[in-house]
Amino acid sequence: MAHSNAGFQPLQYTEYTPEEMLNRARSFYAQHESRRTVREFSDRPVDREIIELIIKTASTAPSGANKQPWNFGVISSPEIKAKIREAAEKEEFENYHGRMSEDWLDDLKKFGTDWHKPFITTAPYIIVAFKKAYDLNAAGEKEKNYYVTESAGLACGMLISAIHNAGLVTVTHTPSPMNFLSEVLGRPANERAFLLLPVGYPAEDAQVPVIERKGLGAVSSWYE
Ligand code: IYR
């Protein structure tokens, strides 16, 4: 393929034998299949370098025009975690007492969630993923980002895989509305909080709900 732009280089690519491919695909699947969302955390400390590597992994996600329209707020300060928990619980209290429909509350019953969010102060790290609606260049002018929600979602998916791969656990917490996170963390106007993820070890007695994953037949449609 001819490229008008000189900024290209040869792809670094490793090909596996069909057998290696199958083994790799099987073990990657098995590893992902063992992931569970965890809401009960230990306060055991986690090495900062692990968190750095997890975020670097997330940031390898593809994004619209490679704009990488995300920023991860990483909170270990007990004072800031306490502020975030207080504000999140205030919103969640309202959600569970009138803002969420009866059907919605019913759908959540099996997860045992309520407005209390102790994991925000127990987990050693809280990661708040922000999506960047636009960027500001050096002159302070707005520069467009593309497929911002999709891009941030992809990065968060890879973040979750990296957390699991490292042997840590998380929950994708979505306090709503989330604008308090921008205020508490002093984020600029072009960023919107997207997800809040506590990261750490599970509590020793952590329990998870009994759930099932849909089978291949239910999640895929094949045209052969
Ligand atoms: N944001 C609330 C409610 C909640 C909503 C869904 I959809 C969930 O899958 C789980 C919880 C909370 O975090 O409790």
Side-chain angles (χ1 to χ4, degrees), residues 154-169:
L154 290 164
C156 286
M158 294 175 69
L159 184 80
I160 292 163
S161 285
I163 291 167
H164 177 60
N165 178 64
L168 298 171
V169 298

Side-chain angles (χ1 to χ4, degrees), residues 153-204:
L154 290 164
C156 286
M158 294 175 69
L159 184 80
I160 292 163
S161 285
I163 291 167
H164 177 60
N165 178 64
L168 298 171
V169 298
T170 189
V171 48
T172 47
H173 179 41
T174 50
S176 172
M178 286 201 206
N179 26 4
F180 69 87
L181 290 165
S182 287
E183 284 160 36
V184 174
L185 300 175
R187 305 306 307 176
N190 62 326
E191 294 183 3
R192 300 264 177 286
F194 187 65
L195 273 186
L196 184 160
L197 304 109
V199 183
Y201 292 92
E204 272 181 32

Side-chain angles (χ1 to χ4, degrees), residues 93-101 105:
F93 184 89
E94 295 304 326
N95 290 335
Y96 281 90
H97 294 88
R99 287 207 297 229
M100 286 173 357
S101 66
L105 291 171

Side-chain angles (χ1 to χ4, degrees), residues 39 92 95-96 100 104 108 113-114 117 173-176:
R39 296 181 175 84
E92 290 300 296
N95 290 335
Y96 281 90
M100 286 173 357
W104 191 351
L108 291 182
T113 59
D114 64 20
K117 302 298 168 192
H173 179 41
T174 50
S176 172

Side-chain angles (χ1 to χ4, degrees), residues 40-202:
E40 293 161 354
F41 283 73
S42 155
D43 61 1
R44 272 170 76 189
V46 167
D47 194 349
R48 187 186 201 270
E49 193 177 356
I50 310 260
I51 304 296
E52 290 174 6
L53 286 163
I54 284 167
I55 290 172
K56 280 162 81 164
T57 301
S59 209
T60 66
S63 62
N66 192 34
K67 297 283 187 177
Q68 303 163 60
W70 47 68
N71 186 277
F72 297 96
V74 186
I75 302 108
S76 55
S77 149
E79 294 76 28
I80 301 175
K81 286 196 283 188
K83 266 191 202 162
I84 292 175
R85 176 175 172 187
E86 192 186 340
E89 288 186 331
K90 207 182 246 177
E91 294 296 354
E92 290 300 296
F93 184 89
E94 295 304 326
N95 290 335
Y96 281 90
H97 294 88
R99 287 207 297 229
M100 286 173 357
S101 66
E102 281 305 313
D103 281 351
W104 191 351
L105 291 171
D106 226 43
D107 274 338
L108 291 182
K109 269 204 184 111
K110 63 169 174 255
F111 304 103
T113 59
D114 64 20
W115 62 273
H116 296 96
K117 302 298 168 192
F119 54 72
I120 299 178
T121 46
T122 312
Y125 282 98
I126 303 298
I127 299 179
V128 179
F130 289 91
K131 59 178 183 179
K132 297 169 93 173
Y134 54 89
D135 271 311
L136 290 173
N137 66 19
E141 296 155 343
K142 284 188 187 182
E143 287 191 350
K144 228 174 130 34
N145 287 334
Y146 309 92
Y147 300 102
V148 167
T149 302
E150 291 85 343
S151 302
L154 290 164
C156 286
M158 294 175 69
L159 184 80
I160 292 163
S161 285
I163 291 167
H164 177 60
N165 178 64
L168 298 171
V169 298
T170 189
V171 48
T172 47
H173 179 41
T174 50
S176 172
M178 286 201 206
N179 26 4
F180 69 87
L181 290 165
S182 287
E183 284 160 36
V184 174
L185 300 175
R187 305 306 307 176
N190 62 326
E191 294 183 3
R192 300 264 177 286
F194 187 65
L195 273 186
L196 184 160
L197 304 109
V199 183
Y201 292 92

